[in-house]
Amino acid sequence: MNDRYFSRRTIRKYSEEPVSSGLLNRILEAGTRASTTGNMQVYSIIVSCSPEMKLKLAPAHFNQPMVTAAPVVLTFCADFNRFNKWCRQRGAEPGFDNFLSFMTAAIDALLVAQTVCNAAEEEGLGICYLGTTTYNADRIIDVLGLPAGVVPVTTVTLGWPAEVPDQVDRLPLYAVIHDESYENYAPETIDEIYREKEAREDSLKFVAENNKKTLAQVFTDVRYKKADNEFFTGKFLEVLRKQGFLNGL
Ligand SMILES: Cc1cc2nc3c(=O)[nH]c(=O)nc-3n(C[C@H](O)[C@H](O)[C@H](O)COP(=O)(O)O)c2cc1C
């Protein structure tokens, strides 16, 4: 196995050097070899390279600097629009206007996204996922002109690395692997699994900077607050309804 899996990190700073269209196409072509439900390819990838489009997208990503600084911004969308059109043009009545079909297309989109990322990193490029796509999917739909049946599910910024950030931690493997069936976590196991993460200097700094008592509180009270989660859930459900994925609900 290639060692790059063990040394990888998210890259948020990019050099000025463009990514050639030849290389980008090859990476995208590799990405589309990812597994896809029923070989339907119910996804689309919007490639944004122009400064104008990146400027328009930036606010939807809360102006995270990677959006305008990266040479390439890829928006991965769950997309039944194309497939539905094909069905209708061939005398087949599609039944994909429901939540299950959204999940199918979202899974397809995420699989192609990760395969594109693997291919890009293999070529020495750096990538950063943007979770803001699902927060502000409504704005992204407007900017990119996404029709009904299409919902953006994630964004990846791509470019030549201009930084080598420290690698961040991971939980020990046994924390996430279950042997044959799920073994629920006793309180002592939770303590053990998170001990190293909590003791890290960067974690302690993070807790202090945010005036919190524990690292978990930084996640619940600062980074991913209940009220925000509920607000953005409402927005995203509205997007799913508008794009035609909640019929029958
Ligand atoms: C779905 C998803 C959304 C993410 N959203 C953001 C984001 O909005 N901004 C950002 O800087 N990093 C984002 N990341 C990157 C994660 O912060 C990063 O993968 C994690 O901290 C682990 O770091 P590593 O990739 O360097 O190992 C996202 C990652 C994923 C998988």
Side-chain angles (χ1 to χ4, degrees), residues 8-12 61 64 66 110 114 121 127-133 153-155 165-170 223-224:
R8 81 155 291 280
R9 57 263 275 164
T10 287
I11 299 295
R12 297 182 176 84
H61 294 290
Q64 295 192 77
M66 298 79 85
L110 292 174
Q114 186 54 43
E121 288 177 337
I127 67 97
C128 182
Y129 275 95
L130 301 181
T132 32
T133 308
V153 290
T154 199
T155 298
D166 289 339
Q167 227 187 357
V168 301
D169 64 302
R170 288 292 192 269
R223 296 191 71 188
Y224 305 102

Short mmCIF file of all heavy atoms in Angstrom, two decimals, residues 8-12 61 64 66 110 114 121 127-133 153-155 165-170 223-224, ligand 1:
data_model
loop_
_atom_site.label_atom_id
_atom_site.label_comp_id
_atom_site.label_asym_id
_atom_site.label_seq_id
_atom_site.Cartn_x
_atom_site.Cartn_y
_atom_site.Cartn_z
N ARG A 8 -0.94 11.62 4.95
CA ARG A 8 -1.79 12.64 4.36
C ARG A 8 -2.30 13.63 5.41
O ARG A 8 -2.42 13.34 6.58
CB ARG A 8 -2.95 12.04 3.53
CG ARG A 8 -4.16 11.57 4.31
CD ARG A 8 -5.44 11.59 3.46
NE ARG A 8 -5.87 12.94 3.15
CZ ARG A 8 -6.55 13.73 4.00
NH1 ARG A 8 -6.86 13.32 5.19
NH2 ARG A 8 -6.89 14.95 3.63
N ARG A 9 -2.56 14.81 4.94
CA ARG A 9 -3.21 15.85 5.74
C ARG A 9 -3.98 16.76 4.82
O ARG A 9 -3.66 16.86 3.63
CB ARG A 9 -2.20 16.67 6.57
CG ARG A 9 -1.14 17.35 5.78
CD ARG A 9 0.14 16.58 5.72
NE ARG A 9 1.01 16.81 6.86
CZ ARG A 9 2.03 16.04 7.19
NH1 ARG A 9 2.33 14.98 6.45
NH2 ARG A 9 2.79 16.32 8.24
N THR A 10 -4.97 17.42 5.38
CA THR A 10 -5.74 18.42 4.64
C THR A 10 -4.84 19.61 4.36
O THR A 10 -4.08 20.04 5.23
CB THR A 10 -6.97 18.83 5.46
OG1 THR A 10 -7.91 17.75 5.42
CG2 THR A 10 -7.62 20.09 4.92
N ILE A 11 -4.93 20.14 3.14
CA ILE A 11 -4.14 21.32 2.75
C ILE A 11 -5.09 22.50 2.55
O ILE A 11 -6.03 22.42 1.76
CB ILE A 11 -3.33 21.04 1.46
CG1 ILE A 11 -2.34 19.88 1.67
CG2 ILE A 11 -2.61 22.30 0.96
CD1 ILE A 11 -1.22 20.13 2.68
N ARG A 12 -4.80 23.59 3.28
CA ARG A 12 -5.68 24.77 3.19
C ARG A 12 -4.99 25.97 2.55
O ARG A 12 -5.62 27.00 2.34
CB ARG A 12 -6.19 25.14 4.59
CG ARG A 12 -7.05 24.05 5.22
CD ARG A 12 -7.59 24.43 6.60
NE ARG A 12 -8.48 23.40 7.11
CZ ARG A 12 -8.10 22.30 7.75
NH1 ARG A 12 -6.80 22.07 7.98
NH2 ARG A 12 -9.00 21.42 8.18
N HIS A 61 -19.69 29.67 1.75
CA HIS A 61 -18.76 28.87 2.56
C HIS A 61 -18.21 29.71 3.72
O HIS A 61 -17.10 29.50 4.19
CB HIS A 61 -17.63 28.34 1.68
CG HIS A 61 -18.11 27.36 0.65
ND1 HIS A 61 -18.56 26.10 1.00
CD2 HIS A 61 -18.25 27.45 -0.70
CE1 HIS A 61 -18.94 25.45 -0.11
NE2 HIS A 61 -18.78 26.25 -1.14
N GLN A 64 -14.55 31.13 3.90
CA GLN A 64 -13.32 30.39 4.20
C GLN A 64 -12.34 30.70 3.07
O GLN A 64 -12.68 30.59 1.89
CB GLN A 64 -13.59 28.89 4.28
CG GLN A 64 -14.51 28.51 5.44
CD GLN A 64 -14.51 27.00 5.68
OE1 GLN A 64 -13.59 26.44 6.23
NE2 GLN A 64 -15.57 26.34 5.25
N MET A 66 -9.94 29.37 1.55
CA MET A 66 -9.55 28.39 0.52
C MET A 66 -10.37 28.55 -0.76
O MET A 66 -9.91 28.23 -1.85
CB MET A 66 -9.76 26.94 1.02
CG MET A 66 -8.95 26.58 2.24
SD MET A 66 -9.68 27.21 3.75
CE MET A 66 -10.86 25.96 4.17
N LEU A 110 -20.47 11.39 -2.68
CA LEU A 110 -19.37 11.36 -1.72
C LEU A 110 -18.30 10.34 -2.13
O LEU A 110 -17.10 10.58 -1.93
CB LEU A 110 -19.89 11.04 -0.32
CG LEU A 110 -20.76 12.17 0.28
CD1 LEU A 110 -21.38 11.73 1.60
CD2 LEU A 110 -19.94 13.44 0.47
N GLN A 114 -14.41 11.39 -2.81
CA GLN A 114 -13.24 10.83 -2.14
C GLN A 114 -12.28 10.19 -3.14
O GLN A 114 -11.05 10.26 -2.96
CB GLN A 114 -13.64 9.84 -1.05
CG GLN A 114 -12.47 9.34 -0.21
CD GLN A 114 -11.64 10.47 0.39
OE1 GLN A 114 -12.17 11.45 0.90
NE2 GLN A 114 -10.32 10.36 0.34
N GLU A 121 -4.42 13.66 -4.57
CA GLU A 121 -3.31 13.57 -3.60
C GLU A 121 -2.20 12.68 -4.14
O GLU A 121 -1.02 12.94 -3.89
CB GLU A 121 -3.84 13.08 -2.26
CG GLU A 121 -4.67 14.16 -1.55
CD GLU A 121 -5.29 13.72 -0.23
OE1 GLU A 121 -5.47 12.49 -0.04
OE2 GLU A 121 -5.58 14.61 0.59
N ILE A 127 -5.86 18.90 -0.90
CA ILE A 127 -7.31 19.11 -0.94
C ILE A 127 -7.84 19.52 0.43
O ILE A 127 -7.23 19.22 1.45
CB ILE A 127 -8.06 17.82 -1.40
CG1 ILE A 127 -7.94 16.68 -0.37
CG2 ILE A 127 -7.58 17.35 -2.76
CD1 ILE A 127 -9.10 16.54 0.55
N CYS A 128 -8.98 20.20 0.40
CA CYS A 128 -9.71 20.46 1.65
C CYS A 128 -11.22 20.33 1.37
O CYS A 128 -11.75 20.96 0.46
CB CYS A 128 -9.41 21.86 2.18
SG CYS A 128 -10.25 22.19 3.76
N TYR A 129 -11.87 19.48 2.14
CA TYR A 129 -13.34 19.40 2.06
C TYR A 129 -13.94 20.61 2.74
O TYR A 129 -13.38 21.14 3.70
CB TYR A 129 -13.84 18.15 2.82
CG TYR A 129 -13.83 16.87 2.03
CD1 TYR A 129 -12.75 16.00 2.11
CD2 TYR A 129 -14.91 16.52 1.23
CE1 TYR A 129 -12.74 14.79 1.40
CE2 TYR A 129 -14.92 15.33 0.52
CZ TYR A 129 -13.83 14.46 0.61
OH TYR A 129 -13.84 13.29 -0.10
N LEU A 130 -15.10 21.03 2.28
CA LEU A 130 -15.83 22.13 2.94
C LEU A 130 -17.22 21.65 3.34
O LEU A 130 -18.08 21.39 2.48
CB LEU A 130 -15.97 23.33 1.99
CG LEU A 130 -14.68 23.95 1.47
CD1 LEU A 130 -14.99 25.13 0.58
CD2 LEU A 130 -13.76 24.37 2.62
N GLY A 131 -17.43 21.54 4.65
CA GLY A 131 -18.73 21.08 5.17
C GLY A 131 -19.79 22.15 5.07
O GLY A 131 -20.99 21.87 5.26
N THR A 132 -19.38 23.36 4.76
CA THR A 132 -20.31 24.48 4.65
C THR A 132 -21.32 24.29 3.51
O THR A 132 -22.35 24.96 3.47
CB THR A 132 -19.50 25.77 4.44
OG1 THR A 132 -18.31 25.46 3.70
CG2 THR A 132 -19.09 26.35 5.77
N THR A 133 -21.02 23.35 2.60
CA THR A 133 -21.91 23.09 1.46
C THR A 133 -23.32 22.72 1.94
O THR A 133 -24.30 23.20 1.39
CB THR A 133 -21.32 21.95 0.60
OG1 THR A 133 -19.98 22.30 0.30
CG2 THR A 133 -22.11 21.74 -0.67
N VAL A 153 -23.70 18.37 -2.07
CA VAL A 153 -23.49 17.67 -0.79
C VAL A 153 -22.11 17.91 -0.18
O VAL A 153 -21.96 17.83 1.03
CB VAL A 153 -23.79 16.16 -0.85
CG1 VAL A 153 -25.27 15.90 -1.02
CG2 VAL A 153 -23.02 15.45 -1.95
N THR A 154 -21.13 18.19 -1.02
CA THR A 154 -19.84 18.58 -0.44
C THR A 154 -19.03 19.35 -1.47
O THR A 154 -19.31 19.30 -2.68
CB THR A 154 -19.04 17.39 0.11
OG1 THR A 154 -18.05 17.86 1.04
CG2 THR A 154 -18.34 16.58 -0.97
N THR A 155 -18.05 20.08 -0.96
CA THR A 155 -17.16 20.85 -1.83
C THR A 155 -15.73 20.50 -1.47
O THR A 155 -15.42 20.23 -0.30
CB THR A 155 -17.41 22.36 -1.62
OG1 THR A 155 -18.77 22.64 -2.00
CG2 THR A 155 -16.47 23.23 -2.44
N PRO A 165 1.26 21.30 6.91
CA PRO A 165 0.76 21.42 8.29
C PRO A 165 1.08 20.17 9.10
O PRO A 165 1.29 19.10 8.53
CB PRO A 165 -0.75 21.57 8.09
CG PRO A 165 -1.04 20.98 6.76
CD PRO A 165 0.19 21.12 5.93
N ASP A 166 1.10 20.33 10.42
CA ASP A 166 1.27 19.15 11.28
C ASP A 166 0.13 18.20 11.00
O ASP A 166 -1.00 18.64 10.78
CB ASP A 166 1.22 19.56 12.77
CG ASP A 166 2.45 20.33 13.16
OD1 ASP A 166 3.48 20.22 12.45
OD2 ASP A 166 2.38 21.07 14.17
N GLN A 167 0.45 16.92 11.07
CA GLN A 167 -0.63 15.95 10.90
C GLN A 167 -1.49 15.97 12.17
O GLN A 167 -0.95 16.05 13.27
CB GLN A 167 -0.03 14.55 10.72
CG GLN A 167 -0.65 13.82 9.59
CD GLN A 167 -0.21 12.38 9.47
OE1 GLN A 167 0.64 11.91 10.22
NE2 GLN A 167 -0.78 11.69 8.54
N VAL A 168 -2.79 15.93 12.01
CA VAL A 168 -3.65 15.90 13.20
C VAL A 168 -3.82 14.45 13.65
O VAL A 168 -3.47 13.52 12.94
CB VAL A 168 -5.00 16.62 12.98
CG1 VAL A 168 -4.78 18.08 12.59
CG2 VAL A 168 -5.85 15.92 11.94
N ASP A 169 -4.33 14.31 14.86
CA ASP A 169 -4.42 12.97 15.48
C ASP A 169 -5.56 12.15 14.90
O ASP A 169 -6.44 12.67 14.21
CB ASP A 169 -4.63 13.13 16.99
CG ASP A 169 -5.97 13.82 17.28
OD1 ASP A 169 -6.18 14.95 16.81
OD2 ASP A 169 -6.83 13.19 17.94
N ARG A 170 -5.56 10.89 15.21
CA ARG A 170 -6.71 10.02 15.00
C ARG A 170 -6.89 9.19 16.27
O ARG A 170 -5.94 8.98 17.02
CB ARG A 170 -6.48 9.05 13.83
CG ARG A 170 -6.52 9.70 12.45
CD ARG A 170 -7.91 10.20 12.09
NE ARG A 170 -8.01 10.57 10.69
CZ ARG A 170 -7.77 11.79 10.20
NH1 ARG A 170 -7.43 12.77 11.01
NH2 ARG A 170 -7.88 12.03 8.91
N ARG A 223 -18.15 24.72 18.40
CA ARG A 223 -18.00 24.38 16.97
C ARG A 223 -19.30 23.88 16.33
O ARG A 223 -19.61 24.25 15.21
CB ARG A 223 -16.91 23.31 16.80
CG ARG A 223 -15.54 23.80 17.21
CD ARG A 223 -14.47 22.83 16.78
NE ARG A 223 -14.27 22.81 15.34
CZ ARG A 223 -13.49 21.94 14.72
NH1 ARG A 223 -12.85 21.01 15.41
NH2 ARG A 223 -13.35 21.98 13.41
N TYR A 224 -20.00 23.01 17.02
CA TYR A 224 -21.21 22.40 16.41
C TYR A 224 -22.36 22.49 17.40
O TYR A 224 -22.80 21.49 17.95
CB TYR A 224 -20.92 20.94 16.00
CG TYR A 224 -19.72 20.80 15.09
CD1 TYR A 224 -18.49 20.38 15.58
CD2 TYR A 224 -19.81 21.12 13.73
CE1 TYR A 224 -17.37 20.26 14.75
CE2 TYR A 224 -18.71 21.01 12.89
CZ TYR A 224 -17.50 20.58 13.41
OH TYR A 224 -16.41 20.48 12.58
C1 LIG B 1 -17.24 16.44 5.17
C2 LIG B 1 -16.07 17.27 5.64
C3 LIG B 1 -16.23 18.63 5.82
C4 LIG B 1 -15.14 19.42 6.18
N1 LIG B 1 -15.31 20.77 6.26
C5 LIG B 1 -14.25 21.56 6.47
C6 LIG B 1 -14.38 22.98 6.43
O1 LIG B 1 -15.48 23.50 6.20
N2 LIG B 1 -13.27 23.73 6.64
C7 LIG B 1 -12.05 23.18 6.86
O2 LIG B 1 -11.08 23.93 7.03
N3 LIG B 1 -11.88 21.82 6.91
C8 LIG B 1 -12.94 21.03 6.71
N4 LIG B 1 -12.79 19.64 6.70
C9 LIG B 1 -11.47 19.06 6.92
C10 LIG B 1 -11.38 18.44 8.32
O3 LIG B 1 -11.30 19.48 9.26
C11 LIG B 1 -10.14 17.53 8.37
O4 LIG B 1 -10.29 16.48 7.46
C12 LIG B 1 -9.97 16.95 9.79
O5 LIG B 1 -9.68 17.97 10.71
C13 LIG B 1 -8.83 15.94 9.82
O6 LIG B 1 -7.66 16.52 9.32
P1 LIG B 1 -6.81 15.82 8.16
O7 LIG B 1 -7.70 15.72 6.96
O8 LIG B 1 -5.64 16.76 7.92
O9 LIG B 1 -6.39 14.49 8.67
C14 LIG B 1 -13.87 18.83 6.39
C15 LIG B 1 -13.73 17.45 6.24
C16 LIG B 1 -14.81 16.68 5.87
C17 LIG B 1 -14.63 15.19 5.67
#
